[in-house]
Amino acid sequence: MDAQQDYLKQQQVYLEHGSAAERWDRGRLFFDAKEYATAARVLHGVAAEAPELLAPRLLLARAYYHSAQLSRAEGELRAILERWPVEDYAQLMLGRTLERQGRAADAAPYLRIAAAMAGEFPE
């Protein structure tokens, strides 16, 4: 194994080490440090381990969005909305993710729902 492969293996061991709570904290630290791709790598495992928890899944979607992994963000947001259809922030994020992919027509219903949930109605 060359030095690069050894480094990557050690990094992966570090990212996956610890309890779900410890990895959740680590993922938030990477996210707060704007290391979004690394945060996504950490949070992916946490979300898979505890799919019934909204917070890790929402932060994972945000990490995907900010690291320009838009199809992954879209997939995670759709899964969130399937389980929590009244999650207004996920509605907004999905709309923004679709817009960022150049899919404004697909984004419009999600953005309207998010605005209505926030109490923003057109005059």
Side-chain angles (χ1 to χ4, degrees):
M1 189 177 331
D2 69 0
Q4 178 69 18
Q5 288 175 326
D6 189 44
Y7 170 78
L8 291 174
K9 184 177 179 182
Q10 288 175 3
Q11 183 183 38
Q12 193 61 34
V13 167
Y14 166 71
L15 295 176
E16 294 173 355
H17 176 75
S19 68
E22 291 168 330
R23 287 180 283 123
W24 162 246
D25 288 340
R26 187 177 306 124
R28 288 189 344 206
L29 288 172
F30 280 114
F31 188 89
D32 291 343
K34 298 185 180 178
E35 295 287 336
Y36 301 117
T38 304
R41 289 175 55 202
V42 174
L43 294 166
H44 176 77
V46 176
E49 195 172 313
E52 72 283 358
L53 298 178
L54 175 60
R57 296 185 73 178
L58 201 51
L59 191 59
L60 173 60
R62 291 177 62 201
Y64 283 149
Y65 178 86
H66 288 297
S67 62
Q69 298 180 62
L70 300 178
S71 62
R72 288 183 176 174
E74 179 183 350
E76 190 61 35
L77 291 163
R78 287 187 186 281
I80 288 168
L81 289 172
E82 187 175 305
R83 188 171 194 143
W84 296 281
V86 296
E87 177 54 47
D88 61 328
Y89 189 66
Q91 297 278 354
L92 176 64
M93 278 191 61
L94 181 55
R96 296 283 184 243
T97 300
L98 294 169
E99 279 184 331
R100 195 166 165 197
Q101 294 178 66
R103 297 164 54 195
D106 293 337
Y110 297 101
L111 296 174
R112 279 194 304 274
I113 291 169
M117 292 174 125
E120 299 169 9
F121 300 100
E123 294 183 18

